[in-house]
């Protein structure tokens, strides 16, 4: 075994030790030069093999070259480690106090809860092909009452319920005026919704003089009460929950026949009864029915040919329940601490 | 309508309570409820004596092991002689509140711990029997609340009746309804009176003058009555329905009203003058002291009952004091009549009184039930107050009301309306249950005879509802409608409103909704010009607050008050907007009709100066005007309009030096600006506040800017910064415009990035710093070209604006 072989192995070991100990890129460069440079130790070994026999020379030369490659590899590994360490130190120095609050600009604004619920409702009905119709908020008695088959001496006409304005008109107590205005002079089939603001002369913890309704109408030659149930079931699922339960109760409205009130099963207590549903398990949702033939006739539609359904419900209560707001007044008193929660 | 369940059971066999409540609720009655009238026994439960052994230390006591549903059986000491194993008993566990209000505690009786009590009926306040415990039916369900299993404590049924169903506002009416829903047989009370006295017609004449207002008037006479207290059962029945006992005569009239739904009135015959009853309109100004102690001045619209001299009752509403039945009364005239519903309602409304009578007349009573009720009352008065019933009644007839006696009911159309497939026989059976008699005509039609009490049944659709109601709405299938598929276009204004909301929310504003009511002072505080249409507002006749009788013509007062209120809540950041209808009262033509005020959709936004609450890095402080101008520009941009902000047509409530109009295509569509200090102080604002108003309706008719692609350049751009000192009064907008013009088409952007006055700048002067960007599409610009243009700009600035380079 020629002396050079031992020598090379020792050299390689030493080099690896020194490379591992190099604490900086600078030190690493120096170590590399010492072993692999033109005047480095490996070169020195190679220079010394000229005296050896041919086959020995070739062998030692081979060994020296592979030692060189291995050292080169260890050096570049060490270089990468040192570079990584240096970047980590730099990044560490750039560390932010991430517990400081985020920038407030731009701060997000907030839609009113009623707007949000309205959008949800309108989205559903427009997707079903209902158009959006609007009407005036100050309305004639004809459009608010008479045309809807509410005779002059009906309890709904009582002054305590309606805001009258000078000149005999009134703030609409429901959005049904839109039904009359939209149907008059048009020929079915049509389907539309009337979302809007309505007013009742009532101020108590459960009532506010202003609130919101959405009504919907579908008139065609064959529209049934069963269809009405179908649309409202689909709407309930969209608006509230896939598991929503609906209940239709007979009731009376002058503008529908048959008429129904609908309730939905309380989602909070799953119909077991709680404070929200007054222990009944059901929450009143709105009124509905098949449009009264007199109303169709008042709008110039032949009730022997066409029939249709109508439904209406409050928007505000849905907003209150959806966001857990306990009192309708909180929606309209403009306290930003309330409105920015939604 | 409220009634004792026990009483109702006299008319028809009742189903289980829970069933009754549910079916009535689904069948069209509102807020149906059964409540206990007696002691509250809801905490007392049905228990069972499992074992009963002799008390080790007392001969007369037993020790019982009692189970009561949930929980472990407990040991109870009982002193009753009748207690025995296997009995179902009324059990009060420890912690139960007893009817006398005490809460039961655990007790040691002669050395044995007793954890509860087996109750006697006296302890439950159901009776006086204290000799032994109350032993319940062996089938009573273990653990059930006591009220569910005993009939001793009376329970009341309360139902809300819809305005069309006046016929249900009586015991017989409710019983009919229960029969319709559950089946069973009606038991109507006896009506025939023992007619032993002389003919009634000899004592009294009845004339109906107002024949349109009164269809039928039946008078019966009972002589020699002793008016006095009513028996306990009568008092109790009335009390259960919320009627106070007066005396046996009056109480009978009320009892019959509750039984049949036919209001009655009793007059003291001796006080009646001229032996005559007249049904006539009141003479305007005529006086009547009603039984409630009010002296009323009548109108010619009122229908009264009169004797030969004066009004003695407000027909269908309330009797008069002048003919009141009292202790001294011996002879009684009983009135049973059918008055026009509208006539009664008008009077009840005018005088603000609703009585049991007016309530029923307004909803319409059974036109064929008038005689029956008079008979029943005469019979009962004779029975309870003594006296002799005069032979026969005096009956007067007016014009018959329009009634529907028969409806031809197309069963195929009923199925078509409901979406059901009920057979004609099934429908007939359902209708028979509500008392509608059906005969078959052709294949798809039933000829239906309408019972006289159901005046609400007028159209075949009404019968369809009856079919559905009795069949059950819940059994109608759930289907999806079929029809033409048609695209839906949202109205342009709707879309614009929605887009505005999104744009403003994106800018950090909070949407509010407020009442539309205005105080005249708030409107005045805006200092509007005399000819400003917003100065005149629609006035409410019955405002919710007297001081806010106007409908808003502008959103400003609402939004400024909102800002102020949030300031007083000590909020540091108030940036809000509202969209709502505005109402004009200046006679402007309305799209909704000639008699209506024009309404338009208004938008207003407000931002108040922000309190810098300990931010760890301060944001730049820009005057409010510019913040809002930025928001306005972005908003209009989103809506598809290019807006200009000239300082013309400024509303008087804005700061004249910090406001601008919003102009689109030469049309003023709104304004922005800081609030005039006088207006700010009128609204109690202690911080700066800028507002924006936008007339969306004015905007929506203007053509929107089409979004068009313009090509982008691949050539490098050249940037030059330029600071120029000009007069402080010099509007920067003009300078920018002039630079843009001078720069030509290669100048693609001019941006003002700094504005500075102070050290190094002469007094009355200000430095404006611009960043100019040059670029061409076809080639790279040469430096010399750019320099040449900038020189031209500098020269222009010096010439036109006395601008000096800095």
């Amino acid at each position: 075994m020629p002396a050079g072989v031992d020598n090379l192995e020792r050299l390689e070991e030493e080099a690896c030790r020194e490379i591992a100990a190099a604490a900086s890129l600078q030190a690493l460069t120096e170590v590399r030069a010492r072993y692999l440079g033109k005047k480095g130790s490996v070169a020195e070994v190679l220079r010394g093999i000229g005296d050896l026999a041919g086959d020995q020379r070739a062998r030692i030369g081979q060994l020296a070259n592979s030692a060189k490659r291995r050292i080169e590899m260890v050096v570049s590994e060490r270089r990468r480690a040192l570079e990584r360490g240096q970047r980590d130190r730099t990044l560490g120095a750039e560390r932010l106090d991430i517990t400081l609050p985020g920038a407030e600009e731009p701060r997000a604004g907030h839609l009113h809860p009623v707007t949000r619920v309205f959008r949800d409702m309108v989205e559903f009905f427009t997707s079903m092909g209902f158009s959006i119709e609007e009407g005036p908020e100050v309305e004639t008695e004809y459009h608010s009452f008479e045309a809807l088959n509410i005779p002059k001496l009906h309890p709904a006409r009582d002054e305590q319920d309606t805001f009258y304005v000078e000149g005999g008109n009134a703030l609409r107590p429901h959005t049904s005026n839109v039904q009359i205005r939209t149907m008059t002079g048009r020929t079915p089939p049509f389907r539309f919704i009337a979302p809007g603001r309505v007013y009742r002369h009532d101020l108590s913890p459960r009532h506010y003089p202003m609130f919101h309704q959405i009504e919907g109408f579908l008139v065609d030659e064959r529209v049934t009460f069963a269809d009405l149930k179908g649309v409202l079931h689909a709407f309930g699922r969209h608006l509230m929950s896939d598991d929503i339960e609906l209940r239709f109760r007979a009731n009376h409205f002058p503008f529908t026949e048959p008429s129904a009130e609908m309730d939905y099963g309380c989602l909070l207590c799953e119909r077991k009864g709680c404070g929200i549903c007054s222990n009944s398990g059901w929450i009143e949702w709105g009124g509905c029915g098949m449009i009264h033939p007199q109303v169709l006739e008042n709008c110039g539609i032949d009730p022997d040919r066409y029939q249709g359904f109508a439904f209406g419900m409050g928007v505000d209560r849905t907003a209150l329940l959806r966001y857990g707001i306990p009192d309708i007044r909180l929606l309209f008193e403009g306290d930003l601490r309330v409105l920015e929660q939604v | 309508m409220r009634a004792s369940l026990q009483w109702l059971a006299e008319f028809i066999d009742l189903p289980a309570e829970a069933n009754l409540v549910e079916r009535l609720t689904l069948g069209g009655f509102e807020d149906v409820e059964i409540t206990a009238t007696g002691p509250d026994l809801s905490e007392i439960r049905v228990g069972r004596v499992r074992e009963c052994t002799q008390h080790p230390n007392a001969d007369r006591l037993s020790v019982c092991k009692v189970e009561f549903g949930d929980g472990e059986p407990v040991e109870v000491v009982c002193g009753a002689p009748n207690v025995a194993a296997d009995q179902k008993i009324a059990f009060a566990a420890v912690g139960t509140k007893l009817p006398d209000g005490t809460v039961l505690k655990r007790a040691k009786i002669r050395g044995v711990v007793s954890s509860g009590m087996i109750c006697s009926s006296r302890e439950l306040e159901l009776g006086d029997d204290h000799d032994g415990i109350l032993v319940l039916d062996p089938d009573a369900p273990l653990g059930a609340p006591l009220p569910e299993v005993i009939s001793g404590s009376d329970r009341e049924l309360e139902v809300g009746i819809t305005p069309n169903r006046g016929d249900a506002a009586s015991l017989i009416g409710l019983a009919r309804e229960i029969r319709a829903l559950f089946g069973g047989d009606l038991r109507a009370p006896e009506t025939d009176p023992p007619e032993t006295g002389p003919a009634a017609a000899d004592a009294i004449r009845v004339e109906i003058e107002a024949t349109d207002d009164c269809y039928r008037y039946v008078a019966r006479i009972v002589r020699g009555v002793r008016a006095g207290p009513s028996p306990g059962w009568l008092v109790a029945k009335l009390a259960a329905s919320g009627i106070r006992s007066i005396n046996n005569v009056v109480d009978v009239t009320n009892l019959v009203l509750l039984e049949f739904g036919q209001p009655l009135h009793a007059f003291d015959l001796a006080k009646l003058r001229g032996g005559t009853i007249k049904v006539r309109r009141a003479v305007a100004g005529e006086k009547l002291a009603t039984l409630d102690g009010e002296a009323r001045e009548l109108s010619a619209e009122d229908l009264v009952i009169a004797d030969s001299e004066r009004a003695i009752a407000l027909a269908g509403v309330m009797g008069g004091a002048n003919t009141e039945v009292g202790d001294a009364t011996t002879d009684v005239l009983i009135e049973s009549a059918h008055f026009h519903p509208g006539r009664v309602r008008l009077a009840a409304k005018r005088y603000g009184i609703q009585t049991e009578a007016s309530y029923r007349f307004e909803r319409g009573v059974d036109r064929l039930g008038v005689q029956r009720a008079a008979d029943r009352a005469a019979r009962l008065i004779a029975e309870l107050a003594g006296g002799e019933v005069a032979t026969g009644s005096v009956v007067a007839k007016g014009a018959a009301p329009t009634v529907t006696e028969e409806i031809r009911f197309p069963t195929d159309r009923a199925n078509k309306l409901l979406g059901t497939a009920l057979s004609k026989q099934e429908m007939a059976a359902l209708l028979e249950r509500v008392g509608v008699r059906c005969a078959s005509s052709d294949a798809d039609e039933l000829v239906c005879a309408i019972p006289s009490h159901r005046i609400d049944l007028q159209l075949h659709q009404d019968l369809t509802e009856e079919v559905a109601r009795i069949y059950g709405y819940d059994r109608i299938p759930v289907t999806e409608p079929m029809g033409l598929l048609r695209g839906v276009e949202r109205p342009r204004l709707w879309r614009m409103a929605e887009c505005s909301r999104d744009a403003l929310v994106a800018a950090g504003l909070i949407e509010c909704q407020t009442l539309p009511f205005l105080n005249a002072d708030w409107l005045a505080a805006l200092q509007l010009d005399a000819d400003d249409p917003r100065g005149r507002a629609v006035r409410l006749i019955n405002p919710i607050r007297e001081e806010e009788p106007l409908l808003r013509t502008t959103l400003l007062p609402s939004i400024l008050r909102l800002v102020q209120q949030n300031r007083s809540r000590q909020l540091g950041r108030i940036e809000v907007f509202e969209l709502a209808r505005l109402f004009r009262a200046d006679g402007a033509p309305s799209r909704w009709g000639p008699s209506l005020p024009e309404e338009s959709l208004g938008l207003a936004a407000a931002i108040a100066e922000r309190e810098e609450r300990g931010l760890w890095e301060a944001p730049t402080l820009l005057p409010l005007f510019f913040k809002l101008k930025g928001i306005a520009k972005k908003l209009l941009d989103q809506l598809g309009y290019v807006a200009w902000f000239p300082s013309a047509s400024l509303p008087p409530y804005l700061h004249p030096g910090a406001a601008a109009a919003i102009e689109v295509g030469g049309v003023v569509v709104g304004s922005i600006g800081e609030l005039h200090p006088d207006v700010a102080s009128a609204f109690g604002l202690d911080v700066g506040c800028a507002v924006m108003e936008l007339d969306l309706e004015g905007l929506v008719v203007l053509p929107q800017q089409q979004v068009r692609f313009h090509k982008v350049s691949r050539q490098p751009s050249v940037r030059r910064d330029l600071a120029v000192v000009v007069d402080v009064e010099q509007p920067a907008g003009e300078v920018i415009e002039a630079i843009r013009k001078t720069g030509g088409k290669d100048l693609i952007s001019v941006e003002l990035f700094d504005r500075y006055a102070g050290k190094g700048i002469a007094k009355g002067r200000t430095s404006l710093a611009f960043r100019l960007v040059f670029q061409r599409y076809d080639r790279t610009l040469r430096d010399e070209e750019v320099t040449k243009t900038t020189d031209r700009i500098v020269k222009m600035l010096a010439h036109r604006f006395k601008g000096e380079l800095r």
Side-chain angles (χ1 to χ4, degrees):
Chain A
M1 184 66 62
V5 175
D6 266 359
N7 223 15
L8 271 174
E9 278 171 2
R10 211 190 57 238
L11 263 182
E12 195 179 323
E13 252 170 59
E14 269 173 21
C16 287
R17 235 186 351 261
E18 281 190 49
I19 289 164
S24 67
L25 287 169
Q26 170 78 40
L28 183 65
T29 313
E30 282 166 18
V31 173
R32 185 185 174 278
R34 209 153 50 241
Y35 287 93
L36 302 181
K38 272 185 193 142
K39 294 176 179 168
S41 317
V42 178
E44 204 173 299
V45 171
L46 284 174
R47 270 197 299 278
I49 59 173
D51 315 337
L52 298 175
D55 60 333
Q56 279 249 4
R57 197 166 60 198
R59 194 161 157 253
I60 299 280
Q62 241 170 18
L63 281 173
N65 275 327
S66 65
K68 200 173 162 184
R69 272 199 305 279
R70 278 197 299 274
I71 293 169
E72 198 68 84
M73 210 166 70
V74 174
V75 164
S76 63
E77 251 166 46
R78 180 64 187 155
R79 177 174 293 121
R80 275 197 297 277
L82 283 172
E83 278 168 357
R84 207 161 39 237
Q86 197 165 53
R87 195 164 54 247
D88 286 350
R89 276 193 300 282
T90 315
L91 290 177
E94 287 168 359
R95 174 169 299 150
L96 301 179
D97 175 0
I98 55 150
T99 64
L100 282 171
E104 299 232 330
E105 305 286 346
R107 187 185 67 163
H110 299 268
L111 285 173
H112 193 272
V114 167
T115 302
R116 294 181 60 139
V117 174
F118 254 141
R119 281 192 176 183
D120 213 357
M121 293 175 157
V122 168
E123 183 200 336
F124 173 80
F125 284 111
T126 50
S127 80
M128 276 195 122
F130 286 68
S131 65
I132 303 168
E133 304 291 342
E134 293 190 276
E137 291 182 10
V138 174
E139 186 54 286
T140 63
E141 293 218 25
Y142 173 78
H143 289 98
S144 280
F145 302 114
E146 275 152 43
L148 289 162
N149 208 22
I150 307 173
K152 207 153 206 119
L153 290 167
H154 191 275
R157 297 283 283 269
D158 280 358
E159 207 183 353
Q160 75 252 25
D161 294 331
T162 310
F163 284 105
Y164 286 94
V165 306
E166 286 177 353
N169 297 316
L171 283 172
R172 63 177 177 191
H174 43 226
T175 42
S176 311
N177 62 326
V178 182
Q179 176 188 8
I180 302 302
R181 288 178 175 275
T182 305
M183 297 201 317
T184 302
R186 274 166 61 172
T187 308
F190 41 62
R191 42 183 129 172
F192 60 95
I193 47 168
R197 185 173 273 189
V198 299
Y199 304 89
R200 303 253 172 106
H201 198 280
D202 198 349
L203 184 58
S204 61
R206 289 197 58 183
H207 298 101
Y208 202 67
M210 167 183 100
F211 55 101
H212 300 81
Q213 285 186 338
I214 188 164
E215 292 189 37
F217 307 91
L218 203 171
V219 183
D220 205 336
E221 292 184 11
R222 292 196 76 94
V223 181
T224 66
F225 192 92
D227 293 338
L228 168 63
K229 287 178 74 174
V231 167
L232 289 171
H233 270 105
F235 182 40
R237 285 195 298 273
H238 167 86
L239 193 67
M240 289 174 286
S241 155
D242 280 344
D243 306 321
I244 197 82
E245 276 184 86
L246 289 193
R247 174 173 92 163
F248 292 79
R249 287 182 280 121
N251 208 285
H252 171 71
F253 304 109
F255 33 82
T256 46
E257 192 72 36
S259 305
E261 285 223 324
M262 61 256 188
D263 304 331
Y264 58 87
C266 184
L267 296 165
L268 262 106
C269 61
E270 291 171 329
R271 299 225 291 104
K272 289 186 191 72
C274 65
I276 297 294
C277 59
S278 319
N279 285 315
S280 70
W282 295 98
I283 293 179
E284 272 187 39
W285 197 23
C288 62
M290 302 306 289
I291 300 173
H292 197 283
Q294 187 62 54
V295 174
L296 290 173
E297 214 164 292
N298 292 343
C299 298
I301 296 165
D302 177 5
D304 285 325
R305 175 163 177 204
Y306 294 109
Q307 59 189 41
F309 65 64
F311 60 83
M313 65 264 303
V315 177
D316 316 78
R317 182 115 193 261
T318 302
L320 296 183
L321 290 176
R322 177 178 289 186
Y323 304 113
I325 302 170
D327 186 336
I328 186 167
R329 287 173 295 193
L330 291 170
L331 290 178
F332 305 120
E333 283 176 347
D335 188 333
L336 300 184
R337 294 168 303 179
V338 173
L339 298 174
E340 68 189 4
Q341 292 179 36
V342 172
Chain B
M1 173 80 192
R2 204 143 62 88
S4 144
L5 269 187
Q6 262 183 319
W7 189 15
L8 188 54
E10 293 175 23
F11 292 78
I12 192 160
D13 294 338
L14 298 181
E17 288 189 3
N19 262 348
L20 183 61
V21 170
E22 183 171 3
R23 292 297 301 273
L24 285 175
T25 299
L26 295 175
F29 295 90
E30 299 178 320
D31 307 317
V32 182
E33 209 178 14
I34 291 177
T35 48
T37 51
D40 177 10
L41 302 178
S42 55
E43 293 186 20
I44 312 285
R45 306 220 261 153
V46 175
R48 179 173 158 269
V49 181
R50 276 234 305 233
E51 292 161 30
C52 181
T53 51
Q54 177 69 40
H55 191 291
N57 309 322
D59 289 349
R60 300 186 148 191
L61 298 180
S62 323
V63 176
C64 304
K65 203 157 227 158
V66 177
E67 57 179 352
F68 56 105
D70 48 328
E72 287 295 298
V74 293
E75 211 163 59
V76 174
V77 177
C78 179
N82 64 334
V83 66
D86 269 349
Q87 281 171 336
K88 286 276 175 70
I89 44 88
F91 182 68
V94 170
T96 299
K97 199 167 148 200
L98 297 171
D100 67 0
T102 57
V103 175
L104 196 71
K105 294 194 187 100
R106 187 168 279 117
K108 199 178 232 179
I109 301 169
R110 294 282 194 100
V112 177
V113 174
S114 178
S115 305
M117 181 167 83
I118 303 177
C119 304
S120 70
S121 52
R122 191 157 104 186
E123 280 150 353
L124 299 174
E125 296 183 0
L126 295 174
D128 290 334
D129 186 3
H130 195 48
D131 291 343
I133 54 158
L134 182 67
V135 180
L136 305 174
D137 189 287
D139 296 334
L142 201 63
L146 190 62
E148 286 180 13
V149 299
I150 54 166
S151 54
S153 66
D154 196 10
R155 302 179 47 81
E156 283 174 10
L157 172 69
E158 178 150 21
V159 298
I161 292 172
T162 52
N164 60 325
R165 290 302 307 276
D167 66 286
S170 64
L171 272 296
I172 195 103
L174 289 174
R176 277 192 301 248
E177 213 44 52
I178 291 164
R179 182 185 57 181
L181 296 168
F182 295 96
D185 293 315
L186 278 189
R187 293 182 287 269
E190 304 270 351
T191 51
D192 294 347
E195 295 177 318
T196 52
D202 295 345
I204 192 91
R205 274 185 312 130
V206 177
E207 295 164 15
I208 301 177
E209 290 178 11
T211 50
D212 284 345
D213 296 337
C214 178
Y215 163 62
R216 180 85 17 125
Y217 195 103
V218 172
R220 266 205 177 269
I221 288 169
V222 186
R223 287 203 167 81
V225 303
R226 283 178 311 280
S230 293
W233 62 264
L234 177 50
V235 175
K237 279 180 175 173
L238 295 183
S241 294
I243 297 177
R244 194 168 47 93
S245 169
I246 312 263
N247 58 47
N248 48 13
V249 174
V250 175
D251 288 357
V252 164
T253 62
N254 283 329
L255 185 82
V256 176
L257 169 143
L258 291 171
E259 284 179 337
F260 290 121
Q262 166 66 50
L264 301 174
H265 186 66
F267 296 98
D268 185 333
L269 189 61
K271 295 176 186 167
L272 206 73
R273 294 179 188 167
T276 307
I277 289 279
K278 284 186 184 168
V279 184
R280 62 167 169 83
R281 291 291 185 89
V283 178
E286 191 173 357
K287 303 270 193 308
L288 174 67
T290 42
L291 284 173
D292 56 2
E294 296 285 322
R296 301 185 187 274
E297 195 176 304
L298 304 176
S299 131
E301 289 287 300
D302 295 337
L303 185 69
V304 294
I305 310 303
D307 57 20
S308 61
E309 296 175 14
R310 66 218 161 125
I312 56 172
L314 189 55
V317 182
M318 195 177 273
N322 50 17
T323 48
E324 182 176 5
V325 170
D327 290 348
T329 301
T330 57
D331 299 346
V332 178
L333 183 147
I334 304 155
E335 163 199 291
S336 179
H338 185 279
F339 300 118
H340 188 277
R343 190 57 57 198
V344 174
R345 175 163 170 76
L346 217 57
K349 235 182 104 173
R350 177 171 13 256
Y351 300 107
I353 29 181
Q354 195 188 53
T355 59
E356 296 286 344
S358 70
Y359 173 86
R360 287 170 178 79
F361 278 125
E362 282 178 31
R363 285 156 178 76
V365 301
D366 184 352
R367 67 187 186 282
L368 302 185
V370 179
Q371 182 70 50
R372 176 180 59 185
D375 295 348
R376 168 80 175 153
R379 178 193 173 102
L380 279 175
I381 287 172
E383 207 175 291
L384 299 176
E388 194 177 45
V389 179
T391 301
S393 317
V394 183
V395 179
K397 295 177 182 178
T402 340
V403 292
T404 310
E405 289 179 273
E406 188 186 282
I407 297 172
R408 301 185 88 81
F409 180 55
T411 51
D412 54 338
R413 283 197 60 182
N415 276 326
K416 189 184 155 200
L417 197 65
L418 296 175
T420 47
L422 294 167
S423 72
K424 198 160 117 178
Q425 287 70 29
E426 284 174 291
M427 291 207 196
L430 291 165
L431 289 171
E432 295 278 355
R433 284 165 67 176
V434 293
V436 172
R437 276 174 295 111
C438 301
S440 208
S441 63
D442 66 44
D444 290 323
E445 192 179 69
L446 289 169
V447 180
C448 298
I450 307 304
S452 60
H453 59 269
R454 289 301 301 271
I455 56 169
D456 60 313
L457 302 180
Q458 295 166 1
L459 308 172
H460 66 79
Q461 287 88 347
D462 297 327
L463 293 180
T464 305
E465 180 176 77
E466 288 306 288
V467 166
R469 194 169 72 83
I470 304 303
Y471 179 66
Y473 280 23
D474 49 340
R475 293 169 67 194
I476 294 175
V478 175
T479 56
E480 255 134 34
M482 304 215 280
L484 293 175
L485 276 178
R486 225 175 237 178
V488 176
E489 181 85 343
R490 294 170 189 228
R492 187 146 179 240
L493 185 65
W494 181 278
R495 279 181 288 149
M496 186 169 273
E498 288 292 65
C499 181
S500 304
R501 288 189 177 98
D502 287 337
L504 292 172
V505 165
L509 275 62
I510 297 176
E511 186 189 14
C512 298
Q513 296 194 359
T514 60
L515 282 176
F517 308 132
L518 273 193
N519 181 325
D521 292 344
W522 305 337
L523 202 51
L526 297 181
Q527 305 175 339
L528 298 171
D529 296 335
D531 60 347
D532 192 320
R534 290 172 294 179
R536 278 182 295 285
V538 176
R539 186 174 285 272
L540 290 170
I541 290 171
N542 53 338
I544 202 103
R545 291 189 196 92
E546 281 306 320
E547 63 275 20
E548 294 168 32
L550 305 178
L551 295 185
R552 58 191 168 193
T553 55
T554 156
L555 280 166
L556 266 196
S558 314
I559 210 157
L560 292 180
R561 279 171 45 76
L562 197 139
V563 170
Q564 189 275 327
Q565 286 158 358
N566 280 296
R567 274 293 299 166
S568 64
R569 292 177 189 121
Q570 298 172 302
L571 301 193
R573 176 168 174 166
I574 303 166
E575 301 181 354
V576 292
F577 72 97
E578 178 166 14
L579 273 102
R581 289 281 174 88
L582 303 175
F583 306 87
R584 281 177 74 163
D586 62 336
S590 167
R591 77 195 79 176
W592 303 114
S595 73
L596 292 169
E598 170 62 339
E599 295 178 23
S600 60
L601 186 64
L603 185 163
I607 59 176
E609 202 168 283
R610 208 179 316 162
E611 228 164 61
E612 299 308 343
R613 42 163 188 86
L615 289 180
W616 54 279
E617 197 141 312
T620 51
L621 279 174
L622 206 59
L624 287 177
F625 173 84
F626 295 106
K627 278 194 196 165
L628 201 51
K629 185 179 175 185
I631 291 170
K633 183 139 180 51
K634 208 170 244 168
L635 166 64
L636 281 140
D637 199 50
Q638 293 277 300
L639 293 176
Y641 295 102
V642 178
W644 298 98
F645 300 91
S647 71
S649 353
L650 296 180
Y653 42 80
L654 296 183
H655 189 305
I662 305 176
E663 209 181 274
V664 170
V667 180
V668 173
V669 291
S671 59
I672 48 167
E674 297 188 18
L675 218 52
H676 193 290
D678 293 349
V679 177
S681 77
F683 282 92
L685 290 172
D686 57 352
V687 284
C689 179
V691 293
M692 165 173 71
E693 285 175 287
L694 191 62
D695 171 18
L696 289 178
E697 310 241 7
L699 199 58
V700 77
V701 297
L702 301 175
Q704 274 163 305
Q705 184 88 352
Q706 295 290 329
V707 176
R708 305 292 305 168
F709 169 78
H710 59 88
K711 62 179 179 184
V712 290
S713 173
R714 293 169 189 275
Q715 308 300 330
S717 62
V718 181
R719 219 166 71 182
R720 290 290 160 86
D721 288 355
L722 205 64
V724 58
V725 178
V726 296
D727 266 3
V728 79
E729 298 287 329
Q730 175 57 50
E734 290 176 14
V735 181
I736 294 171
E737 209 40 47
I739 293 173
R740 197 167 272 147
K741 274 206 180 109
T742 312
K745 66 175 182 21
D746 292 350
L747 174 61
I748 61 159
S749 143
V750 182
E751 208 177 300
L752 178 70
F753 69 90
D754 188 39
R755 188 173 186 273
Y756 170 75
K759 205 173 159 204
I761 306 289
K763 223 174 145 73
R765 305 276 282 171
T766 185
S767 157
L768 302 175
F770 299 98
R771 171 153 304 159
L772 313 182
V773 181
F774 297 88
Q775 192 178 37
R776 285 183 69 97
Y777 292 103
D778 52 352
R779 61 176 170 81
T780 305
L781 279 167
R782 288 192 307 276
D783 223 32
E784 312 87 78
E785 288 178 286
V786 174
T787 307
K788 223 166 110 189
T789 313
T790 13
D791 287 347
R792 211 161 56 233
I793 289 170
V794 170
K795 226 173 269 162
M796 178 278 294
L797 289 173
H799 176 69
R800 274 188 62 188
F801 302 106
K802 296 197 199 69
E804 309 158 279
L805 273 195
R806 211 181 140 207

